[in-house]
Amino acid sequence: MSVRPVYIIAGVGNGTGTGAATARLFAKAGYRVALVARNADHLSNTAKDIVAAGGEAAAFPVKEYNYSAVLDVFNTIKQHKWSSSQEPAEIRGAVWNAGAGVFKNFLDVSEEELQQSIDANITAAFAFSRGAILAFRENPIDNLGKRGTIIFTGATASIRGNVLTSAFAAGKFALRALSQSLAKEFGKENIHAIIDGGILTDRSAERRIGEAREEFKTNQDIRLSPESIAQSALHMRSGERTLGEAEKEMPSGWLCSITGPKSKHV
């Protein structure tokens, strides 16, 4: 890679989940990683950890996951001067891992909580997609036949609703539809996979009690790890233009790739 590409990862949390794992893996693979999240302290700590391990990372906190804040952060990232050189930031990938989870009985969900799900899972995701696609359009096609890749992390709730997930599933269903629509409109090679399962994070473990929590932590057959999702994301970015069918078998979330022209539609 003559110009070290930038990968934007939104939704880093406290540094223990999928977003942070993806950032570490892409940094190790030679990418510059731009980290986006609401908690500035957590974001800064994750960036420092990546730099200490020999990677390039920078933190770009946003106050809220709303349309204007998320779209504006792309301009900030483009203008950022990376420490290793004065090369312009060439954004080659973007991961939307942010979201809002509301797990309550339907009649207990407040209007404010519903709005939080809409903002994080739909409105901000629209802005993120717009910023990423406009950035990709500035790129020449690389040796993989791609201009860039956009990835959305999903959940079981993006496939089907359940008790306690009415607000969460409504947002995740919409996000899944967005990814499919973007793939149809912009991608000439579209990679779309379904990831159906829980991911081990501090928060997901805390929602479980007693033995159920311990089993979720230790039993790899009943949940996914952030590292496995990160590996899928890296594999997808570096895959050949004809890659498609194999990706559909990945046991992890659902993904959408925006790529360059003249490649197979999957």
Side-chain angles (χ1 to χ4, degrees), residues 90-160:
E90 188 175 274
I91 298 171
R92 285 285 177 176
V95 177
W96 183 254
N97 183 58
V102 180
F103 302 95
K104 290 185 175 182
N105 291 314
F106 173 75
L107 294 178
D108 294 331
V109 177
S110 68
E111 181 181 1
E112 181 181 2
E113 290 168 330
L114 176 60
Q115 191 61 53
Q116 290 173 357
S117 181
I118 292 171
D119 289 343
N121 295 313
I122 306 175
T123 306
F126 260 75
F128 188 77
S129 302
R130 180 179 179 85
I133 291 168
L134 290 175
F136 296 160
R137 281 182 164 179
E138 299 175 4
N139 296 336
I141 299 173
D142 63 15
N143 61 342
L144 298 173
K146 301 181 180 182
R147 294 187 189 277
T149 304
I150 182 169
I151 298 173
F152 305 87
T153 59
T156 301
S158 65
I159 310 300
R160 58 183 180 272

Side-chain angles (χ1 to χ4, degrees), residues 131-195:
I133 291 168
L134 290 175
F136 296 160
R137 281 182 164 179
E138 299 175 4
N139 296 336
I141 299 173
D142 63 15
N143 61 342
L144 298 173
K146 301 181 180 182
R147 294 187 189 277
T149 304
I150 182 169
I151 298 173
F152 305 87
T153 59
T156 301
S158 65
I159 310 300
R160 58 183 180 272
N162 206 336
V163 177
L164 306 181
T165 69
S166 55
F168 182 56
K172 284 297 186 181
F173 263 67
L175 186 57
R176 180 172 178 234
L178 172 63
S179 77
Q180 293 172 329
S181 298
L182 293 178
K184 294 289 187 180
E185 182 174 354
F186 294 100
K188 300 299 181 179
E189 177 199 13
N190 302 324
I191 304 171
H192 183 229
I194 303 300
I195 296 176

